[in-house]
Amino acid sequence: PGASLARPPRRSAPASAMGPLGSAWRPRAAAPPPLAPGAPAALDGARHIRDVWAWNFDEEFAALVHVAVQYCAGDAGALLALDMEFPGFVCDTQRSLAPGACYRALCANVGLLWPIQVGIAIADGEGNLYGVWNFNLRFDPAVDLHSKPSIAFLRQAGVDFDRHRSEGVLAADLGRKLAGSSLVGTAGLSPYWLTFSGLYDWGYLLKLLTAGQPLPREQGAFEDALSAR
């Protein structure tokens, strides 16, 4: 496993993209581009993680898109690093499983569960960091399916499930915003998306983009669906 780079849609990433956002990458904060009149308030520091809840969702999503599109022109484009926090696994995910069985486990887990947090960082091909957003989704351990050890781990890490229950962004709202934005699906114009060992990140991203539809039954169709977005 290692860094995984995808651009929804369809052109291969530049060779330089893997290095700056791989495991050894050290971000250099850069000044965000100036905002157009009427755009959301100026970003308050590229290294600052912008926590997003239902009450500031529209403004922060607009700010994310604004910053990303500044770096989509030309061949290099923007890089969007994606990381999901999700409520564990409820189906077998042993590394010893054959590839086909691993993909079936992915489909089963993603089909039953929903992400808790979606983190997106924006950088350029030189490793300059322009902003980090953490979308906190609606999640209630009292009713939403999960793995108990995973929830305990996330609580220890500081995830506030009371706030997620009362202030979290609806997953359907985030999916709808993403699917309708210039961050995905515009051939030659969308930014590159990158994860580290991110098969489940891609799975949950596709679930969000398709309003909760089951993942494709075959892994090849799954990869095709990602490349088309």
Side-chain angles (χ1 to χ4, degrees), residues 20 37 50 53 59 74 86 102 122 125 132-133 151 168 197-198 201 216-217:
R50 300 168 68 85
W53 301 92
E59 178 182 354
F86 51 91
C102 286
I122 301 176
V132 183
W133 282 260
I151 295 300
S197 290
D201 293 336
R217 295 185 64 179

Side-chain angles (χ1 to χ4, degrees), residues 35-52:
L35 297 177
L43 301 180
D44 50 0
R47 288 176 186 255
H48 175 67
I49 297 176
R50 300 168 68 85
D51 263 316
V52 185

Side-chain angles (χ1 to χ4, degrees), residues 10-105:
R10 309 170 188 86
R11 64 187 177 99
S12 59
S16 63
M18 194 66 71
L21 288 181
S23 58
W25 180 57
R26 295 294 182 269
R28 302 189 295 278
L35 297 177
L43 301 180
D44 50 0
R47 288 176 186 255
H48 175 67
I49 297 176
R50 300 168 68 85
D51 263 316
V52 185
W53 301 92
W55 50 269
N56 65 344
F57 173 56
D58 288 338
E59 178 182 354
E60 291 295 342
F61 191 88
L64 165 69
V65 172
H66 174 84
V67 173
V69 298
Q70 305 304 305
Y71 300 95
C72 290
D75 186 62
L79 299 172
L80 269 61
L82 173 70
D83 184 56
M84 301 262 185
E85 295 295 346
F86 51 91
F89 306 95
V90 293
C91 299
D92 192 359
T93 58
Q94 295 180 22
R95 291 185 178 271
S96 60
L97 293 176
C102 286
Y103 180 70
R104 289 192 292 274

